[in-house]
Amino acid sequence: MCGLTGTERVPANTVGWACEVYSMLHSFRAYLILISVLVLALPGCAGAPVQEMSNARQAIKAAREAGAGKVVPETLNEAQTLLERAEINLQKRAYRDARRYAIAARGKAGEALGAVQLSDADGAG
């Protein structure tokens, strides 16, 4: 089997240099698969969730300025708590958890802002 070991299958009519070429292509294919897996795994190892943290802070600020503290204070407090958890995880370099909490904080702040806007629409109509 051309010096190959394991489960590789070489066509029966493969001899000499063709066997070496086949072996190199097989190794190259394994190398490409390894590189592909590493490239796909890199986003999971990305750095600090700077953009997500900024988005959450801006959303909370917008909700607060719109009056969420008066209309839905509990929802605004939940958003703030989620952001604080994100900041704690950011300091611990637990970036995945920090990102998750920051995204949740932004969502909760959006919920609070939506409640304020709904309240304003009800009051105007």
Side-chain angles (χ1 to χ4, degrees):
M1 299 269 299
C2 303
L4 295 175
T5 61
T7 61
E8 298 93 352
R9 290 189 171 260
V10 178
N13 60 352
T14 306
V15 291
W17 65 270
C19 183
E20 292 301 317
V21 169
Y22 181 83
S23 176
M24 286 176 19
L25 288 175
H26 186 76
S27 297
F28 183 69
R29 190 174 78 197
Y31 177 75
L32 285 178
I33 290 170
L34 176 64
I35 293 297
S36 298
V37 168
L38 291 175
V39 166
L40 292 174
L42 282 178
C45 301
V50 176
Q51 187 63 52
E52 290 87 348
M53 297 293 289
S54 176
N55 292 346
R57 287 185 191 105
Q58 290 174 6
I60 290 170
K61 181 180 178 192
R64 186 173 287 122
E65 288 174 355
K70 293 178 183 173
V71 178
V72 283
E74 345 41 74
T75 307
L76 186 60
N77 287 338
E78 287 177 44
Q80 186 62 47
T81 299
L82 288 165
L83 179 60
E84 289 166 5
R85 288 182 184 164
E87 289 169 344
I88 289 168
N89 280 287
L90 185 63
Q91 290 171 357
K92 291 186 205 175
R93 295 178 186 254
Y95 297 145
R96 181 176 294 169
D97 289 336
R99 179 172 284 107
R100 185 169 45 91
Y101 281 120
I103 291 169
R106 179 180 177 203
K108 194 55 81 169
E111 186 182 317
L113 183 58
V116 169
Q117 291 170 342
L118 185 61
S119 170
D120 287 348
D122 288 344

